[in-house]
Amino acid sequence: MDSKKIIGIDLGATNIRGTVVSGEDISDIISRRIKTKGTQEEVLEDVYSLIDGLIDIDVKAIGIGVPSVVDVKKGIVYDVIHIPSWKEVHLKELLEIRYKIPVFVNNDANCFALGEHYFGKGKGVDDMIGLTIGTGLGAGVIINNHLYAGRNCGAGEFGMVDYLDKNYEYYASGSFFNNVYGLNGEDAFKKAKDGDALALSLYAELGKHLGNAIKMILYTYDTELIILGGSVQLAYDFFQQAMWERINTFEFPKGLENLQIKTSALANSGILGAAALFYDAM
């Protein structure tokens, strides 16, 4: 990485957050509420407002992560989660016209993986997976030191793979508790921290499903490192044993010898990863 100043932006369900990244240094993070139910133009104005507060003559590019399907080459975002008016937004084109600098757009899970690869526990690792476990199950794939997004930015959508009677996301994400048992995940977490036997058994069940998901990922990518992000990774101590019990049934033991699974310790990985879209394109 060099010391060029790059704006990194994370567009979420209710807020948009951004910072200026220069090498290993980042400026204070700015956050703005967005008009989630607003028109396409109203939400764009929220994006412009944030960038206007960060941009200066020395900024060389903008990277933005969005929770949606993305045409990476054209920078078009489709059906953005929680923003109904953003059915098809030519975000790259609009931002480049306004700010006259290169803009890179990708989905939020890919930005998480890039953030870990350039700034977190994935530094120095050629091949890795950033696995986000929250209300859903998503991932970013790094191969030979570069993000692999696929033709339609769909690489890493492991949660959508069929599993049991649903898919992996149904059973191996934070939605598992509600989907299967009608329970609130935050309540389950609090009870598990208090040593509640039922809550702990549910986390063990979640770990079993997640272990199966990771086996599927290993058969597909044979990676050397998986970094867990998202809210569920905070409960890692409650499900790691059951998860590894399933992973250890992998048919090729040699493939597990150097496998590392780590939890993210990087604050603002999505924002940093959005800025790293610039580095990844170099």
Side-chain angles (χ1 to χ4, degrees), residues 4-270:
K4 290 185 175 69
K5 294 174 68 174
I6 312 298
I7 291 176
I9 296 172
D10 179 32
L11 179 64
T14 57
N15 292 281
I16 182 170
R17 302 163 64 244
T19 189
V20 177
V21 178
S22 179
E24 297 285 344
D25 298 324
I26 67 170
S27 67
D28 291 339
I29 290 174
I30 297 176
S31 179
R32 298 271 192 277
R33 298 281 294 180
I34 58 173
K35 301 177 185 67
T36 305
K37 304 301 182 183
T39 66
Q40 176 178 307
E41 190 59 37
E42 285 174 332
V43 179
L44 278 170
E45 288 298 330
D46 292 333
V47 176
Y48 296 153
S49 175
L50 181 87
I51 297 174
D52 289 347
L54 292 168
I55 195 124
D56 64 39
I57 195 171
D58 295 321
V59 170
K60 301 303 182 184
I62 298 169
I64 180 167
V66 183
S68 70
V69 174
V70 180
D71 181 326
V72 175
K73 289 184 178 180
K74 296 181 179 179
I76 304 171
V77 300
Y78 298 95
D79 301 310
V80 177
I81 296 173
H82 302 303
I83 305 178
S85 65
W86 276 34
K87 297 295 184 186
E88 179 180 329
V89 180
H90 293 237
L91 191 57
K92 173 182 172 71
E93 179 183 6
L94 290 167
L95 294 179
E96 287 185 343
I97 289 172
R98 182 180 177 96
Y99 296 106
K100 307 296 190 296
I101 56 176
V103 174
F104 302 88
V105 185
N106 218 299
N107 74 30
D108 51 356
N110 285 340
C111 289
F112 165 74
L114 275 179
E116 290 293 333
H117 182 59
Y118 280 94
F119 299 95
K121 293 181 178 179
K123 289 175 69 173
V125 178
D126 293 343
D127 304 287
M128 57 160 281
I129 304 287
L131 191 61
T132 59
I133 316 169
T135 54
L137 180 68
V141 179
I142 305 294
I143 299 175
N144 294 330
N145 280 312
H146 284 284
L147 176 68
Y148 177 73
R151 173 63 184 85
N152 300 296
C153 202
E157 293 294 344
F158 304 118
M160 298 297 101
V161 175
D162 290 348
Y163 176 64
L164 300 178
D165 59 329
K166 301 291 184 181
N167 57 28
Y168 279 103
E169 183 167 275
Y170 189 90
Y171 289 99
S173 72
S175 298
F176 159 78
F177 301 98
N178 183 60
N179 290 340
V180 180
Y181 292 102
L183 299 174
N184 180 280
E186 291 184 5
D187 291 341
F189 180 56
K190 291 176 183 177
K191 290 180 180 179
K193 287 197 295 184
D194 291 336
D196 181 83
L198 175 59
L200 290 170
S201 71
L202 295 182
Y203 270 106
E205 187 175 342
L206 169 66
K208 179 187 74 173
H209 296 307
L210 183 58
N212 286 334
I214 289 173
K215 283 174 58 181
M216 177 265 296
I217 293 169
L218 293 175
Y219 286 125
T220 307
Y221 284 100
D222 189 24
T223 190
E224 59 188 298
L225 171 65
I226 296 175
I227 299 179
L228 307 182
S231 58
V232 175
Q233 63 104 354
L234 299 174
Y236 185 64
D237 288 345
F238 302 142
F239 63 78
Q240 65 168 316
Q241 180 177 342
M243 179 192 76
W244 273 105
E245 285 174 358
R246 293 305 305 155
I247 293 171
N248 285 329
T249 65
F250 190 66
E251 289 292 336
F252 309 115
K254 190 70 176 176
L256 299 181
E257 286 184 1
N258 297 311
L259 174 67
Q260 297 184 73
I261 297 179
K262 301 180 180 181
T263 57
S264 173
L266 182 64
N268 306 303
S269 54

